[in-house]
Amino acid sequence: MPTIELITRRPAGGPARPRPLLFVHGAFCGGWIWDEHFLPWFAERGWTAHALSLRGHGKSGGRDALIGYGLSDYVNDVLSVYDGLDTPPVLIGHSMGGMVVQRVLARRPATPAAVLMSSSPPTGLLESSLWLAWCHPIIFQQMALMNTLGENAVDPATISRAMFSDAMPRDEAVRYMTMMQGESKRILMEIGGWIPFPVLPPRTIPILVMGAENDRLIPPSQVRATARLLNTEAEILPGLGHGLMLEPAWETVARRIDAWLAGTLGGAERAAA
């Protein structure tokens, strides 16, 4: 198994909260995407915050074999980190990482809570892809180029419209897009079509399903479809794009997650006591 990069930020002072957080990134990036804002922000508020880079991503091993990795490989990466922690973590997954988290939850029902941010639906990306092709054909074309020819074949300014809302400063958006990387062809095929019998998490695990009003990749309709399958209600954040953790209003997202976790885990701990 390739080595897995794990970025960790710990509270600087005072005791840490009982449950650690484990962040799982989406396609074409790495654990660094969480360390721009989220990891230090949550650490300042008492959370031990971890973000892994899936095999072939970031500083993890296996880049030379990236093209052949599948969903089961990424699930195993998260499980290897999850099982190495002293306490079962809260899982937080974005985009493709959201589907990885869904599969991990099915394997680890003792997970205390989970957050899905602009997550790939359990049934796959077919509907999202058709919507993108119809509503944003230029972005769809750029995404197809990146999927087939790699990150060097696309225009960072154009492809950034897939990731961010129009509120993101252009220079900042381009900077982030130049940090992106290639993705496994196998997993794009696995999750890009229709999954008729999706793996669903246990309904005993509290899950916050979040989406973005101006998400051009996972539109609010697909976020709501995910929430329905998981027997919960979706929260759609106004004015934001797909890259919730990097948007100018990223702190709004972080505060909502922090408040939800405080209420969810606090209630569970009181009940257990």
Side-chain angles (χ1 to χ4, degrees):
M1 180 174 175
T3 58
I4 299 300
E5 176 188 27
L6 187 64
I7 306 169
T8 299
R9 305 296 175 196
R10 302 184 187 279
R17 302 201 196 194
R19 301 286 187 176
L21 309 179
L22 179 56
F23 293 85
V24 184
H25 64 82
F28 303 104
C29 58
W32 63 265
I33 202 168
W34 300 107
D35 203 32
E36 290 288 305
H37 302 300
F38 267 43
L39 295 192
W41 190 92
F42 279 97
E44 287 176 3
R45 283 149 186 82
W47 299 97
T48 299
H50 308 280
L52 80 156
S53 293
L54 299 167
R55 64 182 69 189
H57 297 75
K59 296 180 181 179
S60 289
R63 183 71 69 94
D64 57 338
L66 174 63
I67 190 173
Y69 296 143
L71 186 56
S72 61
D73 296 312
Y74 293 165
V75 168
N76 286 335
D77 293 341
V78 177
L79 288 173
S80 70
V81 175
Y82 183 112
D83 293 339
L85 300 176
D86 293 335
T87 304
V90 173
L91 291 174
I92 303 174
H94 174 251
S95 196
M96 177 191 74
M99 183 174 283
V100 174
V101 165
Q102 294 165 39
R103 301 296 178 95
V104 172
L105 294 176
R107 303 268 297 272
R108 295 294 183 272
T111 303
V115 180
L116 302 180
M117 299 170 53
S118 293
S119 173
S120 301
T123 51
L125 293 173
L126 179 60
E127 290 189 40
S128 296
S129 298
L130 293 174
W131 181 88
L132 180 66
W134 179 259
C135 297
H136 303 284
I138 295 177
I139 297 176
F140 179 81
Q141 181 253 5
Q142 288 284 296
M143 291 295 297
L145 281 176
M146 188 159 71
N147 291 347
T148 55
L149 301 178
E151 65 275 18
N152 295 324
V154 300
D155 173 38
T158 302
I159 199 70
S160 69
R161 296 184 62 237
M163 189 71 172
F164 303 115
S165 70
D166 294 338
M168 173 67 83
R170 181 183 178 88
D171 291 347
E172 191 172 356
V174 170
R175 179 175 72 87
Y176 285 132
M177 295 313 298
T178 58
M179 297 167 67
M180 297 294 179
Q181 62 164 83
E183 187 51 72
S184 162
K185 302 297 189 292
R186 176 183 164 191
I187 197 165
L188 294 175
M189 292 182 63
E190 286 182 347
I191 71 175
W194 181 257
I195 301 174
F197 303 104
V199 176
L200 298 177
R203 293 196 171 187
T204 54
I205 301 174
I207 300 177
L208 173 62
V209 178
M210 308 177 76
E213 179 186 24
N214 296 327
D215 193 332
R216 298 180 176 103
L217 292 181
I218 309 292
S221 62
Q222 290 298 289
V223 177
R224 294 188 181 99
T226 296
R228 285 194 296 271
L229 283 171
L230 302 184
N231 197 35
T232 187
E233 295 290 331
E235 295 192 16
I236 308 299
L237 302 177
L240 300 182
H242 185 69
L244 292 166
M245 73 293 286
L246 297 177
E247 283 275 313
W250 64 266
E251 192 167 0
T252 300
V253 185
R255 289 188 181 279
R256 176 60 192 127
I257 294 173
D258 184 54
W260 182 83
L261 287 176
T264 300
L265 298 182
E269 288 168 1
R270 285 194 297 271

